[in-house]
Amino acid sequence: MTAATLGRRSPPPSWLLGLAGLAGLVGIVELAPRAGLVDERYLPPFSAMAAALAEQAATAEFWRSLLETLRGWATGLAIAMVAGVALGLVIGGVPPLRAALNSTIEFLRPIPSVALIPLAVLLFGTDMRSTLLLVVYASFWQVLVQVLYGVRDVDPVARETARSYRFRPFTQVRTVIWPTALPYVMTGFRLGAAVALILEITGELIIGSPGLGRQIAVAQTSGAVAAMYALVIVVGLIGVTVNVAARATERRALRWHPSIRRDLAG
Amino acid sequence: MTADPTGAPARPRSATTAMLDVRGLQKIYEGRGRSVEAVRDLTFTVAAGELVCIVGPSGAGKTTLLRCIAGLLDTTAGEVVLEGERVTGPPPGMAVVFQEYGRSLFPWMTVRQNVELPLKEKKVPKDRRRRLVQDSLEAVGLADAQDAHPWQLSGGMQQRVAIARAVAYEPHLLLMDEPFAAVDAQTRADLEDLVRSLWQRLGVTVLFVTHDIDESVYLGQRVIVLSNSPTVVLEDVPIDLPAERDQLTTRSLPRFAELRSHVYELIQLAKSGHRPA
């Protein structure tokens, strides 16, 4: 400890380094077009993007689109979470059912959600429900598969303890299976949240359901390149915020878990 | 020692009322294309209020036997009768202390919640539940650790929590499956004395499975020695040591040494495949 502090200065905190990296990216995006390294028509300098973002933020259209995107994303994710967790607990808790459905799940899961776009359009047109279908389909599998792993992870000794104290099936689910599966549910939530955002934007871009994705497409076709980038940045920020929030929730809910706790007894 | 903290009802202790009756127990594990006979024919009884130890060479089916008694495993033949009722699933008047305390306690709950949960499930009223939790944690010397999580405690303390949970449940039969196999020697001696004192205070019947010969002689009123697998009872050894035992004097008694040697010889016989005629 003392040797280290004397020998060399302690490295700067990781958040500072992360910020420096981000500043570097902004610097490059600002300087490269100005120096003529890239065509300004396709990559305007960062300051132009920021200006376009400020301009966007002054319009009601932008805020309405942002709200549409967030609503579609949250609704889809919520449906996927509820369905994934409920079905995961049931399928995972009944071994014959699990064995019967295993191959079906393995077949349906890898189907890329975007492959369902034609079907979604046939069913719902350019309505927000089309995009919702994609979002739910994509994030549902992420959640379901994680919950299935989680249910399988229940310690046999914990299970026998619960049985020997004659816990009712519901109590076993609530006090043993659910807490064991919770870390997996959290992972499923984080993965599902990321995938849901991707599909929400994809749906809006391609199907044209209302939201930021459609605004990006509109900006692109009308040649508002800086505005297009500004919207892309906003979408990126949503992604970062969601991930940070999910991790914070995870840390709070899983204080007891070996990956987060600090054992006093070695 | 004040009033009996768990209020275990006094039961008549006569030879005719067996707490536990194991008759002709056989367990064959059926695997794919092959079956393994772990336990062949076990018959013994445990009277109410007794402390009986079961020892056997490793792989003697001790854990299989205990799981059959606990109703966690179906028997192939024979039966287990607890308080006159045939065991088909985990019976109400029983608690099990497992060897793997770290996995038997729930890490997402505090010590108090761990002890209290089975009582909630048993629908014990809140006031009484509180008192049972408090008394049992006091009895194992962990009244101050109620709000800690199990993983914040040492191994020996974790096993004390598991014992407190079992004691608070007010079982008539307490099953212990090599509970001290994973703790260090000093902690082990303390926990052995804890089991003796809880047994004497509460009048609970204890069936204690171990592979440790010294431990079985020190703890038990009887030691049932098992053969190697497929298991039968090799000998039922009465332990005629004084009821008041302590680590130093009891273990240095000549009679302790004799009993220990006798059980040791039986285990050696069991290992070499000897079976009763």
Side-chain angles (χ1 to χ4, degrees):
Chain A
M1 176 68 196
T2 45
T5 36
L6 287 177
R8 56 196 129 107
R9 272 181 287 165
S10 58
S14 57
W15 62 266
L16 195 68
L17 289 172
L19 219 58
L22 214 56
L25 179 66
V26 168
I28 290 170
V29 174
E30 180 67 33
L31 292 177
R34 288 194 188 282
L37 291 173
V38 289
D39 194 331
E40 225 175 295
R41 278 178 300 172
Y42 304 125
L43 183 71
F46 184 78
S47 53
M49 295 180 195
L53 183 57
E55 217 171 274
Q56 284 283 330
T59 65
E61 180 76 40
F62 168 80
W63 293 107
R64 202 162 44 239
S65 302
L66 177 64
L67 210 64
E68 291 279 5
T69 297
L70 288 178
R71 200 175 60 186
W73 167 80
T75 312
L77 185 60
I79 294 172
M81 280 297 288
V82 171
V85 168
L87 285 173
L89 288 176
V90 171
I91 296 171
V94 187
L97 191 61
R98 185 193 183 109
L101 292 179
N102 212 6
S103 47
T104 314
I105 291 171
E106 287 311 310
F107 170 71
L108 290 175
R109 189 164 70 103
I111 296 177
S113 214
V114 284
L116 299 179
I117 288 177
L119 173 71
V121 174
L122 272 178
L123 285 174
F124 304 116
T126 60
D127 198 61
M128 71 93 74
R129 280 177 297 172
S130 286
T131 303
L132 192 62
L133 178 72
L134 304 185
V135 171
V136 170
Y137 189 87
S139 44
F140 168 74
W141 299 111
Q142 303 284 350
V143 179
L144 178 72
V145 168
Q146 288 298 324
V147 175
L148 287 178
Y149 281 138
V151 173
R152 191 152 59 178
D153 198 37
V154 172
D155 192 298
V157 178
R159 202 188 280 277
E160 296 218 314
T161 302
R163 273 185 65 205
S164 72
Y165 283 114
R166 297 161 60 88
F167 288 7
R168 284 175 285 269
F170 179 70
T171 311
Q172 292 194 29
V173 170
R174 191 170 55 81
T175 62
V176 183
I177 299 173
W178 172 249
T180 305
L182 195 57
Y184 295 84
V185 173
M186 289 289 175
T187 305
F189 176 75
R190 266 194 301 116
L191 296 175
V195 167
L197 187 63
I198 293 171
L199 268 298
E200 177 66 30
I201 300 299
T202 308
E204 291 165 6
L205 261 171
I206 295 181
I207 300 173
S209 62
L212 287 176
R214 190 170 70 180
Q215 295 308 109
I216 292 173
V218 170
Q220 185 239 345
T221 47
S222 57
V225 178
M228 183 187 83
Y229 276 107
L231 291 166
V232 170
I233 289 171
V234 172
V235 172
L237 288 176
I238 296 174
V240 171
T241 312
V242 166
N243 201 32
V244 167
R247 282 196 181 277
T249 318
E250 201 170 347
R251 269 196 299 276
R252 280 187 64 83
L254 300 179
R255 268 173 308 178
W256 54 268
H257 195 264
S259 66
I260 289 165
R261 76 193 189 197
R262 276 191 227 147
D263 288 40
L264 298 190
Chain B
M1 211 96 347
T2 52
D4 179 357
T6 59
R11 288 177 306 276
R13 291 193 187 191
S14 68
T16 49
T17 57
M19 165 64 64
L20 176 69
D21 205 349
V22 178
R23 297 177 197 145
L25 178 70
Q26 185 192 31
K27 177 66 190 177
I28 299 173
Y29 289 100
E30 297 288 352
R32 281 189 194 127
R34 67 186 206 118
S35 60
V36 178
E37 186 181 23
V39 173
R40 175 160 294 168
D41 182 8
L42 278 177
T43 301
F44 63 90
T45 56
V46 178
E50 258 192 310
L51 198 172
V52 175
C53 290
I54 292 184
V55 276
S58 67
K62 298 188 290 284
T63 297
T64 301
L65 165 65
L66 187 124
R67 284 159 51 92
C68 287
I69 295 172
L72 294 168
L73 204 60
D74 292 332
T75 59
T76 307
E79 57 181 3
V80 176
V81 178
L82 178 66
E83 294 181 292
E85 300 266 342
R86 195 181 162 158
V87 172
T88 51
M94 179 206 75
V96 187
V97 175
F98 293 92
Q99 181 188 333
E100 305 94 339
Y101 46 83
R103 292 159 58 194
S104 178
L105 296 171
F106 302 148
W108 43 85
M109 292 180 178
T110 62
V111 165
R112 187 199 294 117
Q113 288 167 331
N114 264 292
V115 177
E116 197 175 14
L117 184 59
L119 305 180
K120 277 188 180 165
E121 194 62 7
K122 209 174 151 187
K123 299 207 163 36
V124 176
K126 198 172 181 184
D127 289 348
R128 178 154 175 74
R129 216 162 64 206
R130 284 251 169 82
R131 215 179 64 239
L132 284 169
V133 172
Q134 182 69 31
D135 289 349
S136 65
L137 283 171
E138 257 165 33
V140 301
L142 282 177
D144 297 336
Q146 293 199 21
D147 296 316
H149 285 264
W151 39 271
Q152 294 171 314
L153 307 175
S154 70
M157 285 161 95
Q158 289 184 36
Q159 192 56 294
R160 282 170 191 267
V161 175
I163 292 172
R165 176 172 66 182
V167 165
Y169 195 66
E170 300 185 289
H172 299 161
L173 177 65
L174 179 59
L175 294 178
M176 305 186 92
D177 183 15
E178 305 204 24
F180 312 143
V183 298
D184 62 84
Q186 276 171 31
T187 309
R188 180 171 216 171
D190 291 344
L191 290 173
E192 285 166 6
D193 289 335
L194 175 67
V195 167
R196 285 283 305 182
S197 76
L198 286 173
W199 166 69
Q200 284 177 326
R201 255 174 70 187
L202 307 177
V204 60
T205 312
V206 180
L207 188 62
F208 192 104
V209 173
T210 178
H211 64 262
D212 185 321
I213 295 161
D214 285 58
E215 185 169 79
S216 68
V217 174
Y218 179 72
L219 282 178
Q221 292 179 301
R222 273 160 62 204
V223 172
I224 296 174
V225 184
L226 303 180
S227 74
N228 64 355
S229 185
T231 314
V232 295
V233 174
L234 208 55
E235 194 175 317
D236 192 334
V237 184
I239 303 297
D240 48 2
L241 292 170
E244 286 304 322
R245 299 183 190 177
D246 81 81
Q247 295 286 351
L248 209 58
T249 51
T250 307
R251 283 178 192 266
S252 50
L253 289 175
R255 184 64 188 146
F256 183 88
E258 282 169 31
L259 287 164
R260 186 193 172 283
S261 314
H262 181 56
V263 175
Y264 184 83
E265 279 163 17
L266 286 170
I267 296 286
Q268 293 308 313
L269 279 174
K271 276 187 190 162
S272 66
H274 174 82
R275 310 185 77 79

